[in-house]
Amino acid sequence: MESIIDACDGFFNLPEEEKQEYEGKHVLDPIRCGTSFNTAVEKVFSWRDFLKVFVHPVFHSPSKPAGFSESLSEYSKRTREVARELLKGISESLGLEADYIDKALNLEQGHQVNVANFYPPCAQPELAMGLPSHSDHGLLTLLIENGVSGLQVQHKGKWVNLNSFPSSFLVNTGDHLQILSNGKYKSVLHRAIVNNKTTRISIAMQHGPSLESVVSPAPELLDRENAEPAYIGIKYKEYLELQQSNKLDGRSCLDRIRI
Ligand SMILES: O=C(O)CCC(=O)C(=O)O
Ligand SMILES: [Fe+2]
């Protein structure tokens, strides 16, 4: 965990011109970095640099700084094992076979994205937001941070601070777990706030279905509970494009596919 945080810190500290080559624009660009300093998002100012890299099924990585790619490759493999194991337990908790999600959503080819966020100290943290309210689109996100808190999740309509625990993952459930479980698992709304003292780095490893999987509420679950599906089926890739076109306005892209 320390190694990947140091590696990402190294990337964000590269000279601007070395980072520029990765300034992709499209949601399906495999390496995309950018900054949202001074960009008005709704009425708040967003205060972060980010680097998003597709690490599976095809591994991509920036070539700098030295050692970055090795560290990212190792971290991607290890977190993928953890996520697939957690999803077995989640399948069972839904009364499905342990490998149900793994097979139905073709996790062997699962779309895995490493999102590194860099939030420098902000002189007026009350006027800015690190990352505005959103839900993650995949199944599970494994999040770590550099010992500096800033993540908030929405619980019963209120924003709750989550403090980091050393050497542990904070696991967020994503939109596609909500779709597959027909709403039994809720995709959590969350955001990141900034502070005026210390740089915060967070690394959100997102684990999703394969891009070609069409995800809908599990038919086995609906049959057993005699329930109607709450969402239409949609290809994961199309959902990502839909989310890109839908500004992060605190509403989930899920609302767009609800029946
Ligand atoms: O910085 C954080 O704690 C949140 C990051 C996050 O939600 C994301 O990258 O999707
Ligand atoms: Fe997130």
Side-chain angles (χ1 to χ4, degrees):
M1 289 180 179
E2 270 168 35
S3 145
I4 188 69
I5 289 178
D6 288 348
C8 291
D9 192 20
F11 178 86
F12 289 118
N13 283 303
L14 288 174
E16 288 307 317
E17 54 285 6
E18 292 189 23
K19 287 186 276 185
Q20 258 160 18
E21 72 174 285
Y22 301 116
E23 281 180 5
K25 293 279 175 287
H26 190 264
V27 65
L28 294 175
D29 287 339
I31 305 181
R32 205 149 54 94
C33 77
T35 179
S36 34
F37 289 171
N38 301 328
T39 307
V41 177
E42 294 275 283
K43 288 176 211 83
V44 293
F45 287 92
S46 190
W47 194 256
R48 91 170 167 147
D49 269 356
F50 66 87
L51 169 66
K52 298 187 183 187
V53 184
F54 293 2
V55 293
H56 192 262
V58 181
F59 179 75
H60 297 270
S61 174
S63 52
K64 287 181 193 162
F68 183 94
S69 165
E70 291 76 8
S71 183
L72 181 61
S73 166
E74 181 67 18
Y75 187 68
S76 306
K77 254 187 247 148
R78 303 259 196 113
T79 49
R80 195 157 62 244
E81 283 165 17
V82 175
R84 286 175 83 172
E85 210 49 44
L86 286 173
L87 287 164
K88 285 186 189 157
I90 290 176
S91 287
E92 288 186 317
S93 76
L94 292 168
L96 303 166
E97 295 289 321
D99 60 0
Y100 181 89
I101 295 179
D102 211 280
K103 289 214 170 105
L105 306 187
N106 190 14
L107 297 194
E108 201 54 47
Q109 299 294 316
H111 183 60
Q112 184 186 358
V113 185
N114 189 61
V115 183
N117 302 297
F118 184 88
Y119 309 98
C122 173
Q124 291 183 290
E126 64 288 352
L127 297 181
M129 185 53 69
L131 185 57
S133 168
H134 67 283
S135 62
D136 293 346
H137 43 66
L139 293 161
L140 290 181
T141 300
L142 269 48
L143 188 114
I144 58 173
E145 54 193 13
N146 64 337
V148 181
S149 300
L151 178 68
Q152 296 186 324
V153 299
Q154 204 175 70
H155 182 63
K156 297 187 179 157
K158 291 217 172 87
W159 288 108
V160 179
N161 292 322
L162 290 190
N163 295 322
S164 64
F165 292 96
S167 308
S168 58
F169 293 117
L170 210 147
V171 181
N172 273 338
T173 44
D175 295 350
H176 279 73
L177 199 54
Q178 181 161 337
I179 299 171
L180 182 107
S181 69
N182 206 33
K184 283 199 150 55
Y185 278 88
K186 302 273 185 272
S187 157
V188 64
L189 266 187
H190 56 284
R191 66 183 190 182
I193 56 169
V194 287
N195 72 77
N196 56 9
K197 296 193 183 68
T198 331
T199 293
R200 172 166 185 263
I201 296 174
S202 71
I203 299 180
M205 185 65 94
Q206 307 193 348
H207 302 267
S210 79
L211 283 176
E212 300 303 323
S213 294
V214 176
V215 188
S216 52
E220 292 75 355
L221 192 72
L222 299 178
D223 283 351
R224 207 187 51 234
E225 307 202 335
N226 209 3
E228 292 297 321
Y231 308 95
I232 55 167
I234 182 167
K235 199 187 263 193
Y236 188 40
K237 192 174 170 182
E238 284 166 15
Y239 190 90
L240 295 188
E241 287 168 339
L242 181 68
Q243 191 179 46
Q244 181 81 343
S245 64
N246 179 24
K247 297 265 182 310
L248 294 179
D249 58 359
R251 274 179 63 232
S252 159
C253 181
L254 269 179
D255 293 339
R256 305 274 294 268
I257 61 158
R258 208 182 297 275
I259 294 176

